[in-house]
Amino acid sequence: MLSSSVIVSLFLSGLATGMVYALLAGGLTLIFGLLGVINFAHYAFIAVGAYIALEVLDAAGLNFWAALAISLIGVGLIGFLLERTLISRLYGQNPAISLIFTFGLAMAVVELLRMVKGTAFYHIAVPSALVGGVPMGDAAFPTYRIFLLVIGAVLFFGVWAFLQKTPTGLIIRAALCDRGMTRACGVGVTTAFAMTFSIGLALAGIGGALMAPMMGVFPEMGAEILIVCFAVIVIGGMGSFMGSLVAGLICGLLSSFITLVSPQMAMASIFIFMALILAVRPIGLFGEVGRVD
Amino acid sequence: MLTACKKYLTNNVNKSIVIVIIFLAISPFIIPKSIAMDILIFGLLAMSYGIIQGHIGQVSFGHAALFGTGAYVTGLLLYYVDIPSSAAWIFFPAGVVGAVIVALGMGALSLRRRGAYFALTNLALLQLIYFIVLQVKGLTGGDDGKWGIPAPTFGSIPVTPESLYYLYFVIFLVCLFLMKRMFLDSPNALVLHAIKQDEARAESLGYSVYREMLKAYALSGAFAGVAGAMYAIQMQYVGMSYLHWSLNGTVIIMAMLGGVNVFIGPFLGAAILIALKDVISMYTVHWQLIVGILVMVVILGLREGILGRFKSLRF
């Protein structure tokens, strides 16, 4: 018989994983919704974020919190520059073409990481404040996962508040609805576009830094999770920010509870779920007909 | 006879096909044999993908599932079923049938949407198949794959790399002419091109867009399955890399490099990429950096691919 503590800890760990999915998928869906670009290079920048955190910790000797902040800002800046130089050339094309372009970009960036840092596996220690676990019945739930859940929620709602409450957020939302009309109203959308890509990539960067203490740092660390995130945005409805949160949490919980029955099927279950959603509701849970295709 | 040949060669598309055939016929003598084999197999795979991007007009990120299914079905049947080795060739078409069945399933789900959704749905379905194959360890060998797949023979004569190459060459020719017949010279091809230009109008003329696309997707799966079955027999191995998403990227790059709107474009792209990889990796292990940059350059600067510049070759 399952004890309630097992169920609670499965639930929490599912939520924590789901929150990471939501963060990464949220960035992807924002970029796709506004720019019409499917950013395959997200996975490369997950690794870039983790390597920045590693450098900040090892070479600069700063603490974990500084590492998180610098990986967020650093990857965000890279995103801003990339949008201005390369990504902006892809606008107006079939989104699938951008998928291949960013696939090439990812190949190049990952190979650059290999050239600079080698293929070695680096470890980042969990900061001392977050070591250990919260007692829960006869077992303990890792504190770091609870931290992950909290900081994920803070970041996600931070971006949401930015989109809802600030003037730049208003421009981004207006451009999401109708780019041409926003321009016609005399509002410059160029910076808003660059900001969007930058925010999406920054989420990937800090996501990588947050994942690092659990999975280590290596050039291909973001690959598997990115594919899951693609499934998440298809389930949530492409272009829907809130959809990526709901779908991310559902997928996290699903894989967590399937682990109980069959650990091997945890990953596959997400894709089976996606196939089911596509069969009954091809536009995804929160997708809007005709908005993006 | 001579005049018939001359007439055939007035057409630039036919000329390009003849060049490919001549190249493949002599390539084992002019380039390393393993590379000639790779060009043949991956050239076929890239051409099968060309059907999806060139004729259906969509980008798919799940093509490795069709290749992998062909390889796994043929490879595992050869591995497990005890049958005289000269009769084992019957497992070759079994892989093709497997790939067609998977293609019908994937196409039925993914063709309900276009563009980004189509690409990502295919990717996710590929990933589903990947994880299932990974988990059924007892049958597929999981992460290690299956080594030592027994090669079929011709009666009592064992298969040499040369005889296998020329057998594949013949199969390739059959596939090439079937593809040409189905996607260049048939009324069906015209329907597909009409759909590519304007789906709503084609639908209003009474064509079932979904059915036509699914048919093309399944045929693409058949040719990808042929390539997969070829590869499994040639390598005497099946493994997870056949189903890995990065293989899709490579195949799409091949097709776009040569040009997806040209019949032999994907083949040329495959040949160039394989040769390039071979040459670059002699100098540096970081060939992915160069291929990655090449991809970006092709998409930004050479949208129609290398052969796409020649109008007379495009369909």
Side-chain angles (χ1 to χ4, degrees):
Chain A
M1 191 56 212
L2 283 171
S3 69
S4 58
S5 68
V6 170
I7 296 198
V8 172
S9 82
L10 276 177
F11 184 75
L12 281 178
S13 94
L15 279 187
T17 316
M19 209 62 230
V20 176
Y21 291 162
L23 267 190
L24 300 173
L28 280 175
T29 212
L30 209 57
I31 291 172
F32 177 75
L34 184 59
L35 313 179
V37 168
I38 310 176
N39 186 27
F40 208 96
H42 231 61
Y43 92 85
F45 290 98
I46 291 172
V48 170
Y51 276 101
I52 291 179
L54 183 75
E55 286 299 309
V56 170
L57 286 167
D58 285 359
L62 296 173
N63 64 19
F64 187 71
W65 313 107
L68 284 187
I70 293 174
S71 63
L72 178 83
I73 296 165
V75 178
L77 276 177
I78 296 173
F80 196 91
L81 294 175
L82 268 180
E83 196 278 342
R84 291 285 78 222
T85 49
L86 291 176
I87 304 295
S88 54
R89 294 164 198 265
L90 297 169
Y91 296 161
Q93 291 198 45
N94 180 347
I97 298 294
S98 68
L99 183 65
I100 307 160
F101 180 86
T102 50
F103 180 88
L105 179 63
M107 253 173 124
V109 171
V110 167
E111 198 59 51
L112 275 177
L113 286 176
R114 282 197 201 112
M115 285 168 85
V116 178
K117 296 291 289 182
T119 48
F121 181 90
Y122 293 93
H123 192 73
I124 288 187
V126 175
S128 54
L130 300 173
V131 176
V134 179
M136 201 170 285
D138 43 0
F141 189 77
T143 316
Y144 189 76
R145 293 209 153 224
I146 293 179
F147 162 72
L148 213 57
L149 185 54
V150 174
I151 195 168
V154 168
L155 282 168
F156 199 91
F157 286 102
V159 173
W160 181 80
F162 170 79
L163 289 174
Q164 296 295 326
K165 307 289 179 197
T166 66
T168 316
L170 185 66
I171 296 174
I172 292 177
R173 277 185 298 135
L176 252 171
C177 276
D178 192 329
R179 190 189 302 183
M181 191 52 98
T182 312
R183 272 222 178 95
C185 291
V187 179
V189 291
T190 321
T191 323
F193 279 22
M195 288 282 286
T196 308
F197 194 75
S198 167
I199 291 169
L201 227 55
L203 289 179
I206 194 169
L210 285 169
M211 280 153 60
M214 293 194 301
M215 62 183 301
V217 183
F218 51 100
E220 305 85 4
M221 63 181 284
E224 201 161 288
I225 201 166
L226 178 79
I227 314 270
V228 175
C229 288
F230 280 143
V232 168
I233 59 175
V234 169
I235 293 169
M238 294 182 71
S240 165
F241 194 58
M242 276 299 147
S244 68
L245 177 66
V246 176
L249 293 180
I250 292 176
C251 289
L253 288 173
L254 184 69
S255 62
S256 179
F257 278 98
I258 294 286
T259 313
L260 199 64
V261 193
S262 152
Q264 293 90 5
M265 289 308 285
M267 275 299 173
S269 67
I270 293 176
F271 297 105
I272 293 172
F273 179 58
M274 190 213 68
L276 287 176
I277 291 284
L278 280 172
V280 286
R281 193 176 155 80
I283 53 171
L285 295 175
F286 290 77
E288 284 169 37
V289 179
R291 182 157 95 198
V292 284
D293 216 343
Chain B
M1 177 71 191
L2 197 66
T3 47
C5 280
K6 266 188 187 153
K7 199 178 159 204
Y8 187 76
L9 286 176
T10 48
N11 181 331
N12 276 342
V13 177
N14 290 342
K15 264 185 209 156
S16 68
I17 291 171
V18 170
I19 292 172
V20 167
I21 294 171
I22 294 172
F23 168 76
L24 279 176
I26 60 169
S27 69
F29 302 102
I30 51 174
I31 55 177
K33 286 190 184 65
S34 65
I35 295 190
M37 191 63 134
D38 275 1
I39 290 178
L40 191 149
I41 294 174
F42 287 97
L44 179 61
L45 181 62
M47 286 187 76
S48 77
Y49 173 74
I51 295 173
I52 293 180
Q53 203 175 333
H55 297 271
I56 300 183
Q58 300 290 321
V59 176
S60 161
F61 242 72
H63 206 62
L66 311 175
F67 176 78
T69 305
Y72 265 95
V73 171
T74 299
L76 293 180
L77 281 173
L78 284 169
Y79 188 86
Y80 287 110
V81 182
D82 202 17
I83 190 171
S85 59
S86 55
W89 291 109
I90 57 161
F91 295 141
F92 194 102
V96 181
V97 172
V100 171
I101 293 170
V102 169
L104 283 171
M106 287 177 70
L109 270 177
S110 61
L111 284 168
R112 296 162 60 121
R113 299 301 304 276
R114 306 275 177 268
Y117 258 97
F118 178 82
L120 292 188
T121 304
N122 276 302
L123 176 61
L125 291 173
L126 160 68
Q127 213 57 11
L128 174 61
I129 293 172
Y130 180 89
F131 280 115
I132 290 173
V133 172
L134 188 65
Q135 297 319 332
V136 201
K137 278 200 187 65
L139 186 68
T140 61
D143 240 344
D144 301 327
K146 279 283 179 217
W147 294 92
I149 290 170
T153 56
F154 307 111
S156 55
I157 312 159
V159 170
T160 62
E162 286 78 15
S163 61
L164 190 65
Y165 179 86
Y166 282 101
L167 174 71
Y168 283 1
F169 176 62
V170 173
I171 298 175
F172 181 92
L173 287 188
V174 174
C175 290
L176 193 73
F177 283 107
L178 281 177
M179 262 190 237
K180 182 168 186 293
R181 182 134 193 86
M182 289 190 272
F183 292 99
L184 285 187
D185 304 336
S186 78
N188 244 343
L190 293 175
V191 174
L192 269 178
H193 293 178
I195 291 173
K196 204 172 126 188
Q197 282 171 25
D198 194 332
E199 259 184 51
R201 193 166 288 180
E203 187 90 55
S204 75
L205 288 173
Y207 298 108
S208 166
V209 170
Y210 183 75
R211 211 171 58 212
E212 292 297 329
M213 285 186 162
L214 190 59
K215 224 169 14 182
Y217 195 105
L219 286 170
S220 161
F223 294 117
V226 172
M230 281 178 171
Y231 203 56
I233 294 175
Q234 190 246 334
M235 300 297 283
Q236 303 195 337
Y237 163 72
V238 286
M240 295 312 297
S241 61
Y242 298 1
L243 286 166
H244 198 259
W245 52 263
S246 61
L247 178 62
N248 286 311
T250 313
V251 171
I252 299 176
I253 292 164
M254 287 170 173
M256 290 191 66
L257 180 63
V260 286
N261 290 322
V262 175
F263 184 64
I264 62 148
F267 178 87
L268 180 80
I272 291 176
L273 197 70
I274 289 167
L276 202 62
K277 206 191 274 184
D278 189 62
V279 172
I280 298 173
S281 54
M282 279 196 279
Y283 299 99
T284 167
V285 291
H286 301 292
W287 58 267
Q288 291 206 9
L289 178 65
I290 294 165
V291 174
I293 293 170
L294 179 76
V295 173
M296 293 191 271
V297 170
V298 167
I299 290 179
L300 290 183
L302 207 68
R303 293 203 177 156
E304 296 287 341
I306 294 169
L307 291 180
R309 312 185 138 251
F310 303 100
K311 284 229 165 57
S312 59
L313 287 176
R314 282 161 61 170
F315 47 75

